[in-house]
Amino acid sequence: MRRILFIGAEALPFAATGGLGDVLGSLPAEIQQAGGENVDVRVIMPLYKAVSDSFRAQMTTIYESTVRLGWRQIYVGIRALKYKGVTYYFVDNEQYFGRDGKLYGHFDDAERYAYFCEAALSCLPYIDFVPDVLHAHDWQAALAIIYLKLKYKGDWRYGRVKTVFTIHNIEYQGKYDPYILGNIFGIDEKHLGLMTYDNCINLMKAAIECCDMVSTVSPTYASEIKDPTFSHGLHHQLIKEQNKLRGILNGIDYDLYNPETDPVITAKYSAKAPAKKAANKKALQQELALPVRDDVPMVALISRLVSHKGLDLFTPIADKLLEDDIQLVVLGMGDQNYEDFMHGLEERHRDKVRSLILYNRDTSKKIYAACDIFLMPSKSEPCGLSQMIASRYGAIPVVRETGGLYDSIKPYYEVDGEMFGNGFTFANYSADELFERTNAAISLWRDKATRRKLVMKIMKTDFSWGASAEKYLQMYDELF
Ligand code: GLC
């Protein structure tokens, strides 16, 4: 039996801020299912204050001790529960994780996640789960791989552990001033070369160097990040290590995102019987006090409002798009200028636009269920989950051909009555192309028969984890 331990900063349904949480909340169970008795997959994450009391009530304390980090000796508690048949371990430390508000973005993140990685590694023999594969996700877990190599490998109990490092977004690398190397990370000066890149400590760079395999969340992104346009400076490192670089497309949680059972949407529907989707549109129009009409296409944008998500393409064409008879619903928060723009857009088009400057998962699901067309014009996108969720809820995606968007959405066309593709796509990072493709999607939507056929095809596209879980198992096999 092969033991796999996922380590990462967030997982649904316990605590999450983005796509990483979706993945760590669903992929482990999928790998467990695909591997059956041949694998034992577990997950370790911090016990944030945001983890609800009902989950806490299900946890048992399985280990308590202290851990050394630099000169500090710090409490560690390990709690555990089972979710979807997978054991989740939680590293408990009030001082680091018992805080209100955001999960990360605190002044002492370097110390918090160094502690998390050290605590996780040090407890493994005592919780009786030293894995065959330590699978670390993003910069917050990078030090687990680095510490394993620098400090733990000499201990016979850890000697055989193989490591995988998955990049969910290369933009966030964990960069710090070199002075914290000894003081905060407890790493000897002699490893400065390994730990630094461009005169900064760079945790992602060091993890890429130390691990046995690097993966990222789509095949296209795996090749893009070897290019300086996408790499945020790490292309040299990735070119050097390209033999151990893999790209595996994410899936989505088919239980969590299921219009047939979703408890937060008004009317349930499926690819076989999509007609009831209309009732969700009506409900949202009522809730948002938009004109209640089923003959107007509802376009949605659910995103962080930042330029690399394509907001700088969307803003110049928004008013022009709204000259047409459409409705637009925006959900998300981000940079002030984009938030202000969305407010202004709603002011200028009160009968057509609603800008919800907030983030709430339930609201997002209501919008996915209500909307007809979903925009995702990202400049770069490691994988992207929203285009898959939108598809499952029967919205026609309009995406830019990059990263996982390119791998998951293929352009629609028809030859002799046969339909190909599952959305609208454009290649260049150009506002005109976004405008043109969005209009193409709107015109298609107005043709009822074609719309029905395409929406059904889109809803049936397989974005479940099945195939990808197998690919992870194959990648683990390559390590031995
Ligand atoms: C990050 C990426 C996103 C990806 C997600 C899960 O949030 O930006 O594209 O889908 O991680 O891997």
Side-chain angles (χ1 to χ4, degrees), residues 10 17-24 137-138 166-172 216-218 221 248-251 304 308-309 376 378 380-388 404-405 465 472:
E10 55 178 78
T17 55
L20 174 65
D22 276 273
V23 173
L24 294 204
H137 297 260
D138 272 351
T166 294
I167 301 169
H168 291 260
N169 195 334
I170 204 160
E171 201 179 337
Y172 308 106
T216 186
V217 289
S218 69
Y221 195 62
I248 302 177
L249 191 68
N250 284 333
R304 268 188 301 129
H308 78 256
K309 290 286 181 186
M376 203 157 167
S378 308
S380 72
E381 195 59 72
C383 176
L385 301 173
S386 310
Q387 80 281 14
M388 302 185 190
L405 293 173
W465 274 108
Y472 276 100

Side-chain angles (χ1 to χ4, degrees), residues 271-335:
K272 274 177 248 135
K276 286 222 187 95
K277 183 171 164 65
N280 293 294
K281 179 157 142 189
K282 186 173 173 192
L284 189 68
Q285 287 167 331
Q286 280 166 340
E287 193 178 322
L288 300 179
L290 279 168
V292 176
R293 288 172 50 194
D294 67 359
D295 62 336
V296 58
M298 183 185 279
V299 179
L301 182 79
I302 301 178
S303 174
R304 268 188 301 129
L305 303 180
V306 293
S307 36
H308 78 256
K309 290 286 181 186
L311 269 291
D312 51 355
L313 296 191
F314 176 76
T315 47
I317 61 155
D319 286 287
K320 205 158 57 146
L321 268 180
L322 287 156
E323 284 169 16
D324 196 354
D325 182 22
I326 65 168
Q327 292 181 343
L328 172 74
V329 178
V330 177
L331 176 73
M333 299 190 295
D335 293 346

